[in-house]
């Protein structure tokens, strides 16, 4: 029978925390005692008792939270996200290019399955790669992922038919990107505790920088050397960065091989805070990528020059660099869930208040910068929020489970938006409303997640 805490809030049903004394907030990361000398440090990650830490947890004092080795892991993980999620962040460029070149005979909704499959395949591998990470560490997964990602892009460079783009860019390359993305995130979490959100922010900013550089590079190289060699050039750059990533990314915690059990992926979903977090993030993700995918096309519809419109994705991702680092620092200081809620609401509001009525260049540029900042916070804060309510030795499995569910939202969100555009005769009004409302609904779900952890304590650092 689940225990009840002082406020009468929900505690998870007993599983790996069975027979553990109740703590002041319901999370497996609560292993630090309150200290009267420094009350500002009191937050969700501290327990009532200093003498009896939660069973199965790693002592937080063992986390380096810095040092050469830890920051080298961050540097390597930065490169890994630069080439994996950073590549996915430039999907809007390919949506626009394919619709006007190789796949001009296909509808926007049909073409959007290529970038949607990219996003889906990258996130869907989470449970598999997460479990492999928990059992064996990051080494082999990174090596296999490096090969598949580069090979897929090389094959994309010689593709001419729709099915070839689906297989090479929509399936092979993102499977490799997935095998790069998850070990990088999970390895980082084993080196940081108090500064975890900031470390995740630095790592996640690699994807933003990749989202700035890759779109500009691809668009500038295609007229100069053609599409095939533009893709090959990108693949060689990715290969070089992955060599550094493979040499530096490692887990601090020794792997502990365990048999694969389906319940390892299902059990976390029986915990109310984790289930609410995943459900809310799924709803958020349904609308998350629509601005990335359609902002160039919608801007061009209202008269923005193709040259200027091509920079919108880069502007968005450049702002996202700050959105993935500064909110992480704020999250460590004022509460990760608190920051996630605020930035998520802001994302939904500016879609409806700024992108929806935009009819000229200025609001599109301003929206790109603001949405890049606020949406970037989601990418850096979500892994930190998962780690905050998880046993660090299960972080790969739990993070992977969440992102696998989110991948479904990433898969169907853009095609739904594309179908709305087609049904509206090429206008983007319904797609913008769809995106904004879903993001606001997801933000409201994050409020429910926070409430399940600490109740209605508005001023609590969570």
């Amino acid at each position: 029978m689940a225990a009840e805490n002082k406020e009468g809030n929900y505690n998870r049903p007993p599983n790996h925390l069975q027979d553990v004394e109740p703590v002041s907030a319901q999370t497996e990361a609560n292993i630090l005692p309150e200290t009267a000398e420094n009350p500002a440090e009191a937050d969700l990650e501290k327990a009532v008792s200093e003498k009896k830490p939660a069973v199965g947890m790693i002592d937080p004092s063992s986390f380096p939270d810095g040092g050469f080795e830890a920051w080298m892991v961050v540097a390597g993980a930065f490169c890994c996200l630069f080439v994996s999620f950073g590549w996915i962040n430039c999907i809007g460029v390919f949506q626009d290019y394919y619709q006007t070149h190789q796949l001009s005979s296909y509808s926007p909704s049909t073409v959007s399955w290529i970038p949607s499959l990219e996003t889906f395949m990258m996130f869907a591998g989470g449970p598999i790669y997460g479990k492999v990470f928990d059992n064996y560490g990051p080494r082999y997964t990174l090596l296999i992922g490096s090969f598949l990602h580069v090979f897929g892009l090389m094959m994309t460079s010689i593709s001419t038919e729709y099915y070839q783009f689906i297989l090479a860019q929509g399936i092979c390359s993102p499977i490799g990107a997935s095998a790069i993305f998850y070990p990088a995130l999970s390895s980082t979490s084993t080196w940081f505790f108090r500064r975890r959100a900031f470390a995740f922010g630095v790592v996640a900013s690699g994807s933003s920088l990749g989202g700035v550089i890759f779109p500009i590079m691809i668009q500038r190289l295609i007229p100069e050397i053609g599409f095939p060699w533009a893709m090959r050039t990108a693949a060689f750059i990715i290969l070089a960065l992955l060599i550094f990533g493979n040499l530096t990314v490692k887990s601090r915690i020794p792997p502990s091989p365990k048999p694969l059990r389906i319940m390892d992926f299902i059990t976390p979903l029986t915990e109310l805070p984790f289930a609410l977090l995943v459900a809310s993030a799924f709803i958020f993700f349904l609308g998350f990528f629509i601005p990335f995918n359609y902002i160039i096309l919608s801007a061009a519809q209202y008269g923005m020059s193709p040259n200027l419109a091509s920079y919108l994705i880069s502007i968005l991702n450049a702002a996202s660099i700050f959105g993935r680092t500064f909110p992480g620092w704020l999250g460590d200081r004022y509460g990760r869930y608190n920051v996630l809620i605020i930035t998520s609401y802001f994302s939904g509001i500016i879609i409806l208040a700024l992108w929806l009525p935009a009819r000229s260049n200025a609001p599109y540029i301003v929206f790109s910068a603001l949405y890049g900042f606020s949406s970037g916070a989601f990418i850096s804060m979500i892994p930190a929020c998962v780690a905050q309510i998880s046993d660090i030795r299960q972080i790969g499995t739990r993070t992977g489970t969440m992102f696998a569910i989110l991948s479904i939202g990433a898969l169907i969100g853009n095609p739904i938006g594309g179908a709305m555009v087609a049904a509206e005769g090429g206008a983007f009004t319904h797609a913008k409303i769809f995106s904004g409302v879903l993001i606001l609904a997801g933000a409201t779900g994050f409020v429910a997640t926070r409430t399940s952890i600490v109740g209605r304590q508005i001023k609590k650092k969570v």
Side-chain angles (χ1 to χ4, degrees):
M1 184 174 180
E4 185 176 13
N5 68 5
K6 294 178 181 178
E7 289 91 21
N9 295 325
Y10 173 85
N11 274 0
R12 292 192 281 285
N15 41 54
H16 55 283
L17 292 180
Q18 192 171 5
D19 299 327
V20 179
E21 290 182 356
V23 295
S24 57
Q26 297 77 4
T27 165
E28 296 171 18
N30 292 342
I31 49 183
L32 287 178
E34 298 282 358
T35 56
E37 293 77 13
N38 191 7
E41 291 293 330
D43 63 9
L44 189 61
E45 296 176 347
K46 298 185 178 181
V48 170
S49 172
E50 182 177 2
K51 297 180 180 179
K52 194 169 183 179
V55 174
M57 291 300 298
I58 304 300
D59 183 358
S61 64
S62 66
F63 287 78
D65 267 318
F68 178 78
E69 197 171 13
W71 288 115
M72 283 299 291
V73 172
V74 169
F78 176 94
C79 292
C80 288
L81 264 72
F82 182 100
V83 304
S84 57
F85 202 1
W87 180 259
I88 300 299
N89 275 346
C90 66
I91 56 177
V93 171
F94 291 103
Q95 176 80 23
D96 178 56
Y97 181 79
Y98 291 152
Q99 276 187 221
T100 55
H101 291 81
Q102 294 100 317
L103 305 178
S104 57
S105 61
Y106 293 85
S107 69
S109 181
T110 302
V111 174
S112 70
W113 279 105
I114 298 173
S116 290
L117 264 176
E118 277 192 85
T119 309
F120 170 76
M121 296 303 296
M122 197 189 85
F123 290 126
I128 298 172
Y129 299 130
K131 186 64 176 177
V132 172
F133 173 86
D134 289 339
N135 283 359
Y136 304 106
R139 185 63 55 235
Y140 301 112
T141 308
L142 279 174
L143 286 171
I144 294 172
S146 299
F147 170 78
L148 289 176
H149 190 22
V150 174
F151 178 75
L153 294 182
M154 291 294 186
M155 293 299 100
T156 302
S157 72
I158 60 174
S159 298
T160 56
E161 301 293 332
Y162 179 73
Y163 79 91
Q164 294 172 340
F165 286 106
I166 287 287
L167 291 174
Q169 189 173 1
I171 296 177
C172 180
S173 169
I175 287 178
S178 179
I180 297 165
F181 175 76
Y182 287 107
L185 280 183
S186 298
S187 295
T188 302
S189 67
T190 67
W191 292 88
F192 293 86
F193 185 79
R194 292 189 182 278
R195 306 175 70 184
R196 183 177 289 155
F198 176 71
F200 273 132
V202 174
V203 171
S205 68
S207 63
S208 298
L209 186 60
V212 173
I213 293 175
F214 282 129
I216 296 175
M217 184 183 76
I218 293 295
Q219 289 178 316
R220 294 304 178 196
L221 285 178
I222 288 176
E224 296 292 331
I225 58 178
F227 177 80
W229 271 106
M231 296 298 289
R232 291 167 198 152
T233 302
F236 282 125
I237 292 174
I238 288 172
L239 177 61
L241 291 172
L242 283 174
I243 291 174
F244 177 76
N246 275 270
L247 292 175
T248 55
V249 172
K250 57 184 177 180
S251 175
R252 184 182 63 88
I253 299 175
S256 53
K258 297 177 182 177
L260 177 63
R261 298 187 306 128
I262 298 299
M263 290 305 297
D264 290 339
F265 307 107
I266 298 175
T267 299
L269 296 173
T270 64
E271 304 167 12
L272 183 59
F274 185 82
L276 284 173
L277 180 64
V278 171
S280 304
F282 171 80
I283 296 171
F284 189 100
F285 233 51
L286 278 171
F288 179 81
F289 282 105
I290 288 178
F292 284 87
N293 215 36
Y294 293 109
I295 191 169
I296 293 177
L297 294 172
S298 64
Q301 185 183 65
Y302 291 109
M304 183 177 287
S305 69
N307 185 52
L308 180 57
S310 68
Y311 282 98
L312 290 177
I313 292 295
S314 294
I315 292 171
L316 193 155
N317 285 308
S320 184
I321 295 174
F322 302 99
R324 299 185 187 191
T325 50
F326 183 61
W329 178 82
L330 288 176
D332 287 334
R333 189 174 181 86
Y334 300 108
R336 294 149 193 168
Y337 284 87
N338 297 340
V339 173
L340 176 64
I341 290 168
I342 293 171
T343 55
S344 296
Y345 271 119
F346 184 72
S347 294
I349 289 171
I350 61 174
I351 287 176
L352 299 178
L354 190 55
W355 190 31
L356 178 59
R359 296 293 185 273
S360 60
N361 291 356
Y364 267 94
I365 294 172
V366 173
F367 169 76
S368 296
L370 292 179
Y371 185 73
F373 180 86
S374 60
S375 64
F378 173 82
I379 299 300
S380 64
M381 297 307 300
I382 277 290
C385 288
V386 172
Q388 187 163 315
I389 56 174
S390 302
D391 184 328
I392 196 64
R393 294 174 299 181
Q394 300 172 0
I395 192 64
T397 300
R398 292 168 74 92
T399 302
T401 297
M402 182 195 68
F403 274 114
I405 295 173
L406 265 57
S407 69
I408 300 173
L411 175 67
I412 64 179
N414 282 331
I416 291 174
M420 289 180 173
V421 172
E424 206 177 353
F428 294 85
T429 301
H430 294 164
K432 293 175 181 178
I433 295 174
F434 174 76
S435 175
V437 170
L438 284 173
I439 286 178
L440 289 176
T444 304
F446 295 141
V447 174
T449 305
R450 183 188 188 280
T451 302
S452 73
I453 298 173
V454 296
R456 299 179 181 178
Q457 302 179 57
I458 297 177
K459 296 182 179 181
K460 183 76 173 179
K461 175 184 174 182
V462 186

